[in-house]
Amino acid sequence: MRRHLAGYLLLPVLFFVHLAANATEGMWLPHLLTNLNEKEMKGMGMKIGASDIYNVNKGSLKDAIVSFGGFCTGEIISSQGLLLTNHHCGYGSIQKHSSVQRNYLDNGFWARNRAEELPNEGLFATFIVRIEDVTKQALQGVTTQMNEEQRASLIGKNLGAVRSNIKKETYQDVVIKPFFEGNQYFLFVTETYKDIRLVGAPPSSIGKFGADTDNWVWPRHTGDFSIFRIYAGKDNKPAEYSPDNVPLSPKHFLPVSLDGVAENDFTMVFGFSGRTSEYLPSEALKLTVEGQDPAKVAMRDAALKVIDGFMRKDEQIKIQYASKFAGTANAWKKWIGEMQGVRATGGIQRKLKYEERFRQLASPAQRNVLDSLNILYKQSAPFAVARDHYIELTRNVEMLNFANDAVTMLQETRVKGESHYDELREQFLAKMKSLYSNYNNDVDREVAAALLDIYFSEVPSRMIGGEGYQVWMETNKDGKATAARMYSQSAFTAYEKLAAFFAQPFNTVSEAVWKDPATRLLIGLRNGFIDNVGEPYDALQPDIARLQRAYMQAQMDVLKGRRFYPDANSTLRITYGKVNGYVPRDAVEYGISTTLDGVMEKYKPGDYEFDVPEKLRSLWEQKDYGPYGEKGKMPVCFIASNHTTGGNSGSPALDAYGNLIGLNFDRTWEGTMSDINYDASICRNIMVDIRYVLFIIDKFAGAKHLVDEMKLVHPKKKTVVPARKAA
Ligand code: ARG
Ligand code: GLU
């Protein structure tokens, strides 16, 4: 009833909704909030000001946010540099510290004191010190007559000058990135800490509960968090790892709210949003969801089906392929959601309407930009789809992937000179050795058989090229037969064979490599791909980039009433929305939050996705939730309409005051299309309720000393729970 009424009231303004970005749409630059967003945010319930979020003169929220290793986000939650991120972001580090005897992935890990916190080579955390608009300097002297190459070279020179003139401390870095397709440039002064230690992680049965089956899906019950600590030199500045380093004393850390969330609460998610494409023309959107997504999904469908079959039958294969499977399945599942979401919401029609509106207001030159861009995308479509088929084939058939590495290594030797062969071969073999430890010939052969069939039937033969097609005809145009030959005769069937093959002198190898069925097929396909697909595709890209930039500028010039946010590019962004459920399909309504009861509903003893640890079951039986439960239930996850994307994993979910209420880790199935087609009615991000994080740390893991380090608050009751000094 309520919803129907709301829908009715919205009707008259629908037209403008299409024109103006929806209130919850957008990933905004933190230093531009005052002008663009503050009023709206306050209207939606925010109780702090834009200057509390981003401020160069005093500690503000942005000083508690880091890029975690460049691929995720993390936030500081204590005065002693405690850092919170996702379990799937810390996964690699947790895995590296694990062995069969001490399996931290299976059993979890909790440092009982600072001495037990584990260093992680190569891991870093980057703070944003300040952001500056350097568009003017970057584009100095740039004209529309320049081609893309000339333009890039002049901008490169300009930015070099900006870099050398910037005021910064020696321990700080400068990053400059293009925004709005290169119409604007912003500079980031950053501080990168390199001594990041693992403090705690729940077992995978909590941190990865539901694994691939539940991935991208609501309702969700995953405790997807892990805890690290940033260490600094004695002067609190970034320093290489040293046992003498001390916990970072941050400019700001997030207070943690114990009050939970309610329907319609204001929320913000602050983090390093990875990549979106919200301003594509209709032909590009069509290409994505009708050409590229289906091609990639079909290839992965086939590969995953084969691998899953083996993993279910064979324990060893399950371990070897678990991580690869998760990675392949993650994007696969996202693309399916994306295609369906765009279809279900009429995304292409909506784009066309938007373009119609643009056309009405645009000048003939601006209209021409849009039309030319659509034509170019249409021209590039067959190449783009064939390219994805090739990428998926050589990615998912590992033997072709290995052969590709071998061919690349041999080419490099030819360029650098034969005397470099030993060195390059050693590097290649070292990489192969580790890849072969998680490789199984039977699995790969069946993946190859299935994918070759799809490749040769979907990609037009003129794009495949003669050499590759020759192999295909020799084996009667049959994936099984092609694979049978490759996987019985190739040197790539086992690491030992491969090492022996490459132990021969360079000249012998160079000759023999053409006769190996794996390299022969790979080289044939690769040459055909480069000539018939890669080069024509690449040749269109500079024009696409130029027109995409012009179209972006035209949209901003023409649609004056609309606020524009730049596509995500792995820079710090803030998104805001409300805690709201949604209606995924007819007669189904999703609530805003889940509880531990739902974990127990999904519980399957011994299952690798849905097992529940004994301790957690007994806490549930006794309803022993400490101060973290609510009305006899233990909250686990919740959703809201924040516009997030990949890279926002580990981002803090904040309440109206800037207190931590949750940890972002995923989006809902129907809303994965938000990277190209945000729709406020169904796009939702998924967060772990911070009270579940605290409950797991304290009640499940017995690591209360970590909770004691935090500042717990009751904003809804307006009280602060005094922090106790950490042990
Ligand atoms: N879908 C989330 C993201 O895009 C979580 C991925 C990790 N979990 C998994 N089952 N693969 O990264
Ligand atoms: N799981 C994603 C990540 O690793 C975040 C979810 C999303 O793509 O929205 O960044």
Side-chain angles (χ1 to χ4, degrees):
M1 177 66 212
R2 229 175 342 126
R3 199 177 56 253
H4 288 167
L5 186 59
Y8 177 72
L9 290 177
L10 273 175
L11 260 181
V13 293
L14 260 185
F15 179 72
F16 296 99
V17 169
H18 288 151
L19 244 191
N22 193 286
T24 56
E25 175 174 359
M27 345 185 124
W28 304 93
L29 280 157
H31 68 299
L32 301 178
L33 292 176
T34 312
N35 287 335
L36 287 175
N37 312 90
E38 186 177 35
K39 198 166 146 222
E40 179 180 78
M41 293 169 90
K42 286 186 168 164
M44 287 170 70
M46 186 171 76
K47 301 287 187 226
I48 55 177
S51 65
D52 299 306
I53 297 174
Y54 175 88
N55 201 317
V56 287
N57 301 313
K58 66 174 177 86
S60 55
L61 286 180
K62 75 131 170 65
D63 297 308
I65 319 295
V66 293
S67 162
F68 182 80
F71 54 90
C72 276
T73 303
E75 53 276 2
I76 312 303
I77 53 170
S78 88
S79 61
Q80 293 137 70
L82 210 56
L83 180 158
L84 182 66
T85 189
N86 287 143
H87 186 264
H88 79 260
C89 298
Y91 201 81
S93 304
I94 304 166
Q95 187 171 38
K96 269 188 214 141
H97 291 296
S98 295
S99 61
V100 179
Q101 293 79 29
R102 303 172 315 205
N103 193 335
Y104 299 146
L105 283 175
D106 277 5
N107 307 320
F109 166 79
W110 301 96
R112 281 164 300 182
N113 52 53
R114 300 276 156 86
E116 287 184 0
E117 298 178 356
L118 300 171
N120 300 283
E121 210 189 314
L123 187 59
F124 60 85
T126 300
F127 289 91
I128 302 299
V129 180
R130 64 173 198 274
I131 309 174
E132 285 174 27
D133 187 343
V134 293
T135 307
K136 258 215 191 86
Q137 297 97 302
L139 298 182
Q140 180 118 42
V142 171
T143 66
T144 43
Q145 278 77 49
M146 291 177 164
N147 67 29
E148 286 303 285
E149 216 172 301
Q150 293 165 327
R151 184 179 193 273
S153 126
L154 179 57
I155 291 175
K157 234 170 63 206
N158 289 345
L159 293 182
V162 171
R163 253 189 212 99
S164 49
N165 290 331
I166 193 80
K167 269 210 194 69
K168 67 164 189 73
E169 308 295 335
T170 50
Y171 55 86
Q172 297 176 330
D173 300 301
V174 172
V175 179
I176 306 175
K177 288 206 175 171
F179 290 74
F180 293 115
E181 311 286 346
N183 286 296
Q184 296 180 22
Y185 283 80
F186 291 104
L187 174 152
F188 300 77
V189 175
T190 62
E191 275 174 24
T192 296
Y193 287 83
K194 291 171 192 148
D195 186 351
I196 314 297
R197 302 188 197 167
L198 177 64
V199 174
S204 293
S205 52
I206 292 172
K208 209 186 158 177
F209 183 74
D212 291 303
T213 300
D214 269 12
N215 192 21
W216 297 113
V217 167
W218 183 252
R220 191 66 156 275
H221 298 88
T222 313
D224 196 344
F225 78 95
S226 61
I227 299 182
F228 290 76
R229 190 187 302 280
I230 301 181
Y231 280 76
K234 294 227 162 62
D235 55 0
N236 206 39
K237 302 279 168 357
E240 295 297 329
Y241 168 78
S242 158
D244 300 333
N245 285 346
V246 295
L248 172 78
S249 171
K251 278 191 226 139
H252 183 74
F253 64 92
L254 302 175
V256 178
S257 164
L258 282 175
D259 285 352
V261 293
E263 177 103 39
N264 281 321
D265 275 0
F266 175 80
T267 60
M268 310 182 261
V269 173
F270 208 170
F272 291 81
S273 313
R275 218 170 87 98
T276 60
S277 309
E278 311 283 359
Y279 303 102
L280 296 174
S282 51
E283 284 297 336
L285 186 64
K286 228 187 261 176
L287 170 59
T288 305
V289 297
E290 291 174 5
Q292 296 181 276
D293 281 352
K296 294 185 288 189
V297 165
M299 294 291 266
R300 290 198 183 192
D301 254 342
L304 288 165
K305 211 167 278 158
V306 170
I307 302 170
D308 183 66
F310 278 97
M311 282 171 73
R312 282 181 192 280
K313 280 190 309 224
D314 187 313
E315 192 65 21
Q316 166 81 4
I317 293 176
K318 197 185 98 187
I319 296 169
Q320 286 180 313
Y321 279 76
S323 179
K324 287 189 271 193
F325 188 91
T328 304
N330 190 39
W332 164 80
K333 207 167 173 183
K334 189 201 138 172
W335 293 325
I336 297 174
E338 187 170 270
M339 300 190 295
Q340 293 184 354
V342 171
R343 202 177 309 135
T345 56
I348 292 172
Q349 284 75 8
R350 180 191 302 184
K351 260 297 182 220
L352 287 168
K353 251 205 192 115
Y354 176 87
E355 288 176 4
E356 209 178 284
R357 181 80 184 132
F358 171 86
R359 262 204 185 83
Q360 283 166 9
L361 301 169
S363 70
Q366 288 167 324
R367 275 201 292 273
N368 192 33
V369 165
L370 172 58
D371 295 342
S372 308
L373 189 55
N374 268 323
I375 289 169
L376 273 185
Y377 272 113
K378 228 178 165 157
Q379 277 173 10
S380 78
F383 302 114
V385 174
R387 184 171 171 271
D388 280 338
H389 274 117
Y390 180 80
I391 292 171
E392 288 299 318
L393 177 74
T394 50
R395 172 196 188 281
N396 292 301
V397 178
E398 285 192 276
M399 190 177 283
L400 291 178
N401 197 351
F402 300 160
N404 192 48
D405 271 18
V407 171
T408 305
M409 183 267 290
L410 292 175
Q411 281 179 345
E412 212 182 321
T413 309
R414 229 160 280 133
V415 172
K416 283 190 166 173
E418 256 184 76
S419 58
H420 291 270
Y421 182 56
D422 285 351
E423 169 202 336
L424 291 169
R425 176 189 58 195
E426 286 322 304
Q427 282 170 15
F428 163 72
L429 285 177
K431 179 176 170 194
M432 288 300 126
K433 190 165 192 174
S434 98
L435 291 174
Y436 271 90
S437 68
N438 286 330
Y439 170 84
N440 180 293
N441 232 4
D442 296 332
V443 177
D444 208 50
R445 184 181 56 239
E446 289 193 28
V447 171
L451 295 200
L452 285 168
D453 277 338
I454 302 178
Y455 188 76
F456 280 96
S457 71
E458 291 300 315
V459 181
S461 52
R462 72 190 142 77
M463 289 190 165
I464 291 175
E467 288 172 72
Y469 214 80
Q470 175 67 28
V471 176
W472 185 237
M473 295 207 296
E474 283 166 21
T475 43
N476 304 318
K477 304 187 180 184
D478 176 38
K480 250 205 170 80
T482 313
R485 185 160 86 174
M486 248 165 82
Y487 289 79
S488 58
Q489 297 170 15
S490 171
F492 286 85
T493 49
Y495 175 74
E496 293 69 30
K497 264 168 93 176
L498 192 70
F501 180 79
F502 283 95
Q504 306 174 89
F506 178 67
N507 284 333
T508 320
V509 170
S510 293
E511 285 279 307
V513 87
W514 290 91
K515 294 182 203 109
D516 186 282
T519 28
R520 182 163 168 246
L521 178 61
L522 183 273
I523 293 169
L525 293 177
R526 179 164 135 151
N527 289 342
F529 167 75
I530 292 172
D531 291 348
N532 307 310
V533 177
E535 278 175 2
Y537 175 85
D538 289 347
L540 292 169
Q541 297 315 305
D543 277 340
I544 290 184
R546 184 175 52 81
L547 287 171
Q548 193 70 63
R549 185 169 63 242
Y551 179 47
M552 185 74 246
Q553 189 60 55
Q555 291 176 71
M556 295 197 279
D557 290 343
V558 165
L559 303 167
K560 290 262 190 292
R562 179 176 167 139
R563 280 174 316 168
F564 286 86
Y565 59 94
D567 268 319
N569 58 356
S570 296
T571 56
L572 184 60
R573 304 296 179 91
I574 192 144
T575 81
Y576 48 92
K578 290 193 169 191
V579 176
N580 281 139
Y582 68 108
V583 178
R585 55 191 170 277
D586 195 24
V588 179
E589 194 159 352
Y590 281 154
I592 57 165
S593 56
T594 60
T595 68
L596 197 54
D597 296 2
V599 173
M600 294 307 297
E601 282 172 6
K602 288 178 176 174
Y603 170 44
K604 271 192 231 157
D607 184 79
Y608 81 102
E609 295 187 298
F610 292 101
D611 204 1
V612 176
E614 194 327 285
K615 177 83 188 279
L616 189 57
R617 280 183 274 133
S618 88
L619 288 167
W620 173 76
E621 264 153 29
Q622 287 148 30
K623 304 280 166 274
D624 183 5
Y625 304 145
Y628 314 113
E630 185 181 325
K631 299 190 189 118
K633 305 232 184 228
M634 187 61 236
V636 174
C637 293
F638 66 98
I639 51 173
S641 53
N642 303 289
H643 186 182
T644 54
T645 186
N648 277 120
S649 277
S651 296
L654 306 166
D655 69 3
Y657 303 91
N659 301 311
L660 187 65
I661 50 174
L663 180 60
N664 184 71
F665 70 99
D666 211 359
R667 274 174 289 167
T668 59
W669 176 248
E670 297 78 8
T672 58
M673 60 160 184
S674 63
D675 290 347
I676 48 174
N677 178 52
Y678 182 87
D679 185 311
S681 68
I682 56 170
C683 289
R684 299 287 178 272
N685 67 313
I686 308 180
M687 297 148 280
V688 199
D689 192 305
I690 201 66
R691 293 169 299 175
Y692 190 54
V693 172
L694 299 178
F695 162 75
I696 294 295
I697 296 174
D698 178 351
K699 289 286 180 178
F700 175 82
K704 173 94 186 331
H705 60 283
L706 295 175
V707 178
D708 290 339
E709 243 188 90
M710 303 172 200
K711 181 173 159 191
L712 304 180
V713 296
H714 280 291
K716 290 185 177 170
K717 302 192 192 95
K718 294 239 171 357
T719 56
V720 174
V721 183
R724 256 192 289 141
K725 256 219 138 0

